[in-house]
């Protein structure tokens, strides 16, 4: 992805509610799913990836299926993709059942398991193990990593306009803060420091708002009006610890 594009996308995401990296990852995944449904359902490379990963992960399976139904009004793409996958999974499961029947194997084969007992203990269905991870997750991961690196580099830069934009945003969720700090190098130390310090400030306000929210729910103080920050403290806590919810992007 081009650097200028990364920068523009990040600046836009910083103006939106919630964690900017969660948002950019969700955007990248949604773009992939839309293009899949628009024109790549019958594309050989897309299909081979879909089969290699035995479909998408559970979250993206539902996202693809529901998005098609909602946007296209039919589920033709879903029908095409899953007819193919169903054939493949059925074939794999048949292979698995052919491997069964351990107890009926000749005595000398069973005797071998005395030396390799772990190989006989579990009936692992290796046929049903995907060869590759979910393609939508892969696309999201790539976007997430690129934007995180660019964010830290931008925060480490001597011009402070990017820092100001970050400080004015809702900031990173805990998951992306951890990933961002883990990927920072010594050259990015200033960026990592901005991330850590602005999160500390945000957490101090959050802690206070959560405490006040509880206090004003008690009988003795129920007449005290809540500030806007206190009213939405629960949402800020969920966003920080749980990232952006599905409904937020
Ligand atoms: Zn996040
Ligand atoms: Zn996925």
């Amino acid at each position: 992805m081009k650097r200028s594009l990364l920068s523009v996308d990040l600046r836009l995401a910083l103006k939106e509610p919630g964690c900017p990296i969660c948002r950019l990852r969700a955007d990248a995944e949604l773009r992939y799913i839309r293009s899949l449904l628009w024109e790549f359902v019958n594309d050989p490379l897309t299909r081979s990836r879909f089969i290699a990963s035995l479909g998408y992960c559970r979250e993206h399976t539902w996202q693809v299926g529901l998005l098609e139904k909602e946007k296209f009004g039919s589920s033709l793409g879903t029908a095409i993709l899953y007819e193919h996958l169903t054939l493949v999974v059925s074939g794999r499961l048949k292979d698995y059942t052919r491997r069964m029947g351990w107890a009926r194997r000749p005595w000398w084969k069973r005797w071998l398991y005395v030396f390799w007992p772990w190989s006989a203990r579990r009936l692992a269905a290796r046929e049903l193990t995907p060869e590759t991870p979910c393609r939508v997750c892969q696309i999201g991961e790539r976007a997430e990593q690129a934007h995180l690196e660019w964010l830290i580099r931008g925060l480490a830069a001597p011009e402070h306009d990017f820092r100001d934009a970050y400080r004015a945003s809702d900031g990173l969720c805990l998951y992306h803060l951890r990933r961002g700090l883990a990927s920072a190098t010594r050259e990015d130390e200033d960026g990592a420091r901005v991330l850590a310090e602005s999160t500390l400030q945000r957490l101090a306000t959050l802690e206070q708002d959560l405490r006040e929210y509880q206090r004003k729910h008690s009988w003795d103080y129920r007449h005290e009006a809540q500030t806007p920050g206190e009213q939405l403290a629960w949402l800020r806590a969920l966003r920080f610890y749980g990232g952006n919810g599905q409904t937020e992007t």
Side-chain angles (χ1 to χ4, degrees):
M1 196 180 282
K2 278 189 180 160
R3 291 183 153 214
S4 53
L5 263 182
L6 285 173
S7 178
V8 171
D9 285 350
L10 250 177
R11 280 174 194 277
L12 288 174
L14 286 172
K15 291 181 183 158
E16 299 286 340
C19 168
I21 303 296
C22 280
R23 178 172 294 278
L24 290 165
R25 177 175 178 147
D27 286 352
E29 292 176 350
L30 190 60
R31 268 198 305 276
Y32 178 81
I33 293 173
R34 282 207 179 117
S35 77
L36 162 81
L37 293 172
W38 272 112
E39 51 188 332
F40 287 98
V41 165
N42 288 313
D43 172 62
L45 179 62
T46 307
R47 184 70 64 81
S48 71
R49 282 176 171 150
F50 177 74
I51 296 298
S53 54
L54 296 184
Y56 301 120
C57 68
R58 300 199 306 173
E59 179 193 333
H60 290 130
T61 297
W62 280 98
Q63 196 181 357
V64 172
L66 294 180
L67 191 85
E68 185 183 30
K69 188 75 187 146
E70 186 190 316
K71 297 284 176 206
F72 294 71
S74 90
S75 297
L76 194 58
T78 301
I80 294 169
L81 288 171
Y82 289 99
E83 184 210 352
H84 188 172
L85 185 61
T86 301
L87 272 171
V88 172
V89 170
S90 300
R92 302 270 183 97
L93 210 47
K94 280 177 195 155
D95 292 344
Y96 171 74
T97 55
R98 270 182 222 116
R99 277 200 304 120
M100 294 180 95
W102 180 83
R104 292 194 300 277
R105 283 178 190 176
W107 66 268
W108 56 271
K109 267 197 174 175
R110 274 184 279 154
W111 188 73
L112 287 174
Y113 289 124
V114 173
F115 297 102
W116 297 286
W118 58 88
S119 64
R121 202 168 293 147
R122 288 211 176 88
L123 294 169
R126 60 174 180 263
E127 291 85 354
L128 297 182
T129 306
E131 291 156 37
T132 55
C134 163
R135 183 65 183 156
V136 189
C137 282
Q138 277 185 327
I139 298 286
E141 283 269 332
R142 205 180 295 162
E144 179 177 290
Q145 196 53 39
H147 282 110
L148 257 181
E149 283 170 15
W150 191 246
L151 174 69
I152 299 205
R153 215 147 295 160
L155 293 175
E159 311 84 54
H160 283 198
D161 64 320
F162 205 75
R163 290 185 191 185
D164 296 340
Y166 181 75
R167 287 196 181 108
S169 77
D170 283 348
L172 295 184
C173 66
L174 180 59
Y175 173 76
H176 285 128
L177 175 70
R178 190 163 51 224
R179 288 203 66 170
L181 296 179
S183 65
T185 60
R186 279 184 193 283
E187 293 84 64
D188 306 322
E189 193 175 312
D190 284 348
R193 192 190 305 279
V194 174
L195 273 186
E197 287 176 353
S198 62
T199 306
L200 273 172
Q201 283 174 2
R202 242 187 293 274
L203 289 180
T205 316
L206 176 65
E207 189 192 346
Q208 193 182 339
D209 286 346
L210 288 171
R211 204 182 310 121
E212 282 296 288
Y213 182 88
Q214 295 171 71
R215 189 180 67 80
K216 290 177 184 177
H217 267 74
S218 68
W219 186 257
D220 292 346
Y221 302 100
R222 68 191 186 286
H223 56 276
E224 282 188 38
Q226 289 180 11
T227 65
E230 289 161 7
Q231 282 168 1
L232 291 177
W234 64 275
L235 182 60
R236 276 149 57 214
L238 294 187
R239 277 178 181 158
F240 181 69
Y241 292 103
N244 294 9
Q246 281 277 314
T247 50
E248 292 200 277
T249 48

